Amino acid sequence: MKSIIFKELKEIRRDGRFKIAMGIVVLLLIIASITGINQYQKNNQQYKESLNKERSIWETQGEKNPHSAAHYGTYAFKPKFALSLFDYGITKYTGNSIFLEAHNRHEASFSEASDQTSLARFGTLSINFVLMYLFPLIIILIGYNAYTKEVENRTFTMLKSQGVHPIKLALGKWIATFIPIFILTSIIFLIIGLVLSSLESFSFFSWTSLGVLFISYVFYYLIITSITILISMWSRSSGMSLVNSLVIWIFFSFITPKIATNFANGNHPYPSKSEFSERIAADKKNGLDGHNPWNKAAKKLEQETLKKYGVDSIHKLPFNYAGYRMQKGEEHEAKIYEKHYNILNDIALKQNSVYKNLSFISPFIPVRFFSMDIANTSDVLHWKFTKAAEKYRIEKQQFLNYDIKDNSKYGERGYKMSAEKFKKLPKFNFTPPSLSEIIKENTQNIVFLLLWLALPLGGILITSKKI
């Protein structure tokens, strides 16, 4: 088997097509890396400047009524994660910041896609794009004629006559096809790790996460290698083997994701923007309004509060009831927003479940989802960020409303919170999920990848005995 591997590698090294293809791929990787690093550093610098500027504006707004400050609002910014340089995921389309103000839950805004030209529809060159789409083509180029060339050159009979074991022959060709792509992939990930670990501007970098990402891509390439060798075994000519392999690549990379997307959207559609807004407005209309002390829910809250503190008038409460009522109104509205955004989140989870359940028709889908999750560029990460921002918004509102409640008198007009107290509001902090959480959430994707590797590899072993 060792002789077979070296013989195959020597033929690959002499193949001019392989050299040209590898040269093009390496060039694309260099371009993607340079543009990715420059874009990341630019975006990260903008993130830090915006973060510091917004906090400075908040802390230096001077004496102000707390509720006016609540409407003035502030921003929660999504951090830039180191591995987003590798896999952009959906970050270009989800927005980078969320405006936090009283009574309203806003969606993320200022997405990178909104600033791009129409050329963006053709896709963005990234390291992940090269590894996901082009490396399988290199594998196909290397292995499509692994068996057919032996038949066409009439050397297969000679190999059998020399007593070459069929399984050793199959494994030798399988390993030889995989070795070049494995070496190049290892070099790429090592360089990525060294770059990310050496630059201070990159946040949340972990060698362990990069290692798990590397293993997932290695599995993907092993699957493509196995399928390519199996097709070569089943094909009658090199031409047919190449065509069949390319058809499988197109089906995996382009057709199945589109099928999965249409199926998921068709079975679990999102409500329109107007429908979503109308449902929230209807629930808010019938609920507690922190500004209106005369609506039914507000009067009920007043009676409950008076009974709880054993007084017969809000003037006798040990705090300013106006600030207390406004905070309860905020909490009520937050529950309404949580209810309707949870509905959207459930739809997103159901759509993702459809994608994952359709992973049996393409190994591309589980690798794609797993890659985005590890790089913290998936929709799952974005939902967690929006929830963290909303939690912080409610805490900010409580900080301001309770200042009115605790430090002003009922009916007092013109009350202002001291300028120094604005600095005491805790800063927004968002930490991505741990690697163990990500792996746990992707258990199904990992199982499908193992099955995708086991089935064609088993087919190679069985077919080799029958040839």
Side-chain angles (χ1 to χ4, degrees):
M1 192 166 70
K2 181 179 177 181
S3 299
I4 293 170
I5 292 173
F6 278 108
K7 174 256 184 186
E8 293 291 329
L9 289 175
K10 187 178 290 185
E11 289 186 356
I12 292 170
R13 183 172 57 84
R14 292 174 176 174
D15 192 337
R17 295 169 301 176
F18 172 73
K19 293 179 181 178
I20 294 173
M22 289 299 292
I24 294 172
V25 167
V26 170
L27 179 62
L28 290 175
L29 280 170
I30 293 172
I31 295 172
S33 300
I34 294 173
T35 55
I37 290 173
N38 290 336
Q39 185 65 30
Y40 180 94
Q41 290 179 324
K42 177 184 176 182
N43 291 343
N44 199 46
Q45 183 64 29
Q46 290 176 345
Y47 163 74
K48 290 181 178 180
E49 289 177 358
S50 300
L51 192 67
N52 294 332
K53 186 175 181 179
E54 186 61 30
R55 184 65 187 188
S56 176
I57 292 172
W58 174 261
E59 293 182 352
T60 58
Q61 56 186 318
E63 287 188 354
K64 183 181 288 185
N65 179 271
H67 199 66
S68 297
H71 281 286
Y72 179 74
T74 186
Y75 281 88
F77 296 95
K78 186 193 294 184
K80 295 296 179 182
F81 302 102
L83 289 178
S84 64
L85 169 68
F86 174 87
D87 188 345
Y88 297 155
I90 63 169
T91 54
K92 288 183 175 292
Y93 309 97
T94 53
N96 300 310
S97 60
I98 299 177
F99 182 56
L100 310 177
E101 67 164 336
H103 311 306
N104 292 300
R105 178 174 177 174
H106 294 281
E107 298 176 7
S109 55
F110 303 111
S111 65
E112 293 179 35
S114 62
D115 295 329
Q116 293 179 333
T117 65
S118 58
L119 290 176
R121 72 183 64 181
F122 297 104
T124 304
L125 180 62
S126 65
I127 299 173
N128 166 262
F129 175 84
V130 176
L131 296 183
M132 284 290 293
Y133 291 93
L134 301 186
F135 270 34
L137 284 177
I138 299 296
I139 294 173
I140 292 172
L141 181 64
I142 295 172
Y144 78 93
N145 64 346
Y147 265 80
T148 54
K149 67 183 178 183
E150 304 291 356
V151 176
E152 291 169 343
N153 295 333
R154 299 181 180 180
T155 54
F156 193 75
T157 304
M158 183 175 65
L159 289 172
K160 290 177 65 177
S161 67
Q162 290 177 345
V164 176
H165 196 282
I167 292 181
K168 289 185 177 181
L169 177 63
L171 291 178
K173 289 181 176 293
W174 181 74
I175 293 171
T177 303
F178 177 68
I179 283 177
I181 215 72
F182 175 76
I183 293 174
L184 185 57
T185 304
S186 301
I187 294 172
I188 291 168
F189 273 86
L190 180 61
I191 293 173
I192 291 172
L194 292 174
V195 170
L196 294 179
S197 61
S198 63
L199 296 177
E200 296 180 359
S201 60
F202 289 96
S203 305
F204 302 104
F205 172 71
S206 167
W207 276 101
T208 306
S209 297
L210 185 65
V212 173
L213 197 60
F214 168 73
I215 292 171
S216 67
Y217 276 84
V218 166
F219 261 88
Y220 181 54
Y221 298 148
L222 283 171
I223 292 167
I224 300 298
T225 301
S226 301
I227 293 174
T228 302
I229 297 298
L230 189 59
I231 290 174
S232 184
M233 285 179 162
W234 291 348
S235 300
R236 295 183 178 182
S237 66
S238 296
M240 285 301 299
S241 176
L242 179 60
V243 170
N244 291 334
S245 296
L246 290 175
V247 168
I248 292 293
W249 171 75
I250 293 172
F251 181 75
F252 281 172
S253 303
F254 300 101
I255 298 177
T256 53
K258 186 63 177 177
I259 292 173
T261 300
N262 292 338
F263 196 81
N265 290 337
N267 285 275
H268 306 288
Y270 282 105
S272 67
K273 178 68 174 177
S274 58
E275 285 179 314
F276 183 69
S277 300
E278 287 171 4
R279 292 172 187 174
I280 292 176
D283 282 355
K284 290 174 72 174
K285 183 178 180 180
N286 299 322
L288 177 62
D289 185 349
H291 281 294
N292 182 9
W294 306 110
N295 78 336
K296 185 177 179 180
K299 294 302 292 183
K300 181 181 178 181
L301 174 67
E302 181 180 322
Q303 294 302 318
E304 291 175 349
T305 306
L306 293 175
K307 183 178 180 180
K308 179 180 178 181
Y309 286 91
V311 295
D312 58 5
S313 172
I314 55 177
H315 299 85
K316 297 179 182 180
L317 289 170
F319 52 81
N320 187 340
Y321 178 72
Y324 179 78
R325 185 187 65 239
M326 283 191 289
Q327 179 56 28
K328 290 300 179 181
E330 284 288 350
E331 292 173 1
H332 172 73
E333 291 171 343
K335 289 179 181 178
I336 293 174
Y337 281 113
E338 182 181 15
K339 167 190 170 183
H340 289 281
Y341 274 92
N342 280 343
I343 293 173
L344 294 185
N345 194 17
D346 288 340
I347 293 173
L349 291 175
K350 288 176 181 178
Q351 289 191 354
N352 285 347
S353 180
V354 170
Y355 286 126
K356 292 175 181 178
N357 291 335
L358 291 175
S359 295
F360 71 92
I361 62 175
S362 171
F364 177 90
I365 297 175
V367 172
R368 190 74 190 93
F369 272 88
F370 196 34
S371 176
M372 288 193 295
D373 281 341
I374 294 178
N376 291 314
T377 57
S378 66
D379 64 320
V380 176
L381 187 281
H382 183 70
W383 275 110
K384 290 178 178 178
F385 164 70
T386 58
K387 288 181 179 179
E390 175 63 7
K391 181 182 177 183
Y392 179 76
R393 185 182 75 87
I394 301 305
E395 291 173 353
K396 179 178 75 72
Q397 297 309 113
Q398 182 176 340
F399 173 84
L400 296 171
N401 286 327
Y402 275 17
D403 182 79
I404 297 175
K405 167 181 169 285
D406 298 331
N407 300 315
S408 68
K409 297 178 181 180
Y410 184 77
E412 179 183 359
R413 296 190 177 184
Y415 169 75
K416 294 182 179 180
M417 190 170 76
S418 66
E420 197 64 27
K421 193 167 183 180
F422 282 104
K423 298 178 181 179
K424 295 182 180 180
L425 176 68
K427 296 181 180 180
F428 173 70
N429 183 43
F430 176 68
T431 303
S434 65
L435 180 60
S436 58
E437 290 178 277
I438 294 173
I439 292 175
K440 185 177 180 181
E441 291 173 355
N442 282 272
T443 302
Q444 183 176 332
N445 288 329
I446 294 171
V447 170
F448 271 117
L449 283 176
L450 292 172
L451 289 174
W452 265 107
L453 178 60
L455 291 176
L457 188 56
I460 288 175
L461 299 179
I462 294 171
T463 305
S464 65
K465 295 179 181 180
K466 294 182 177 180
I467 295 180

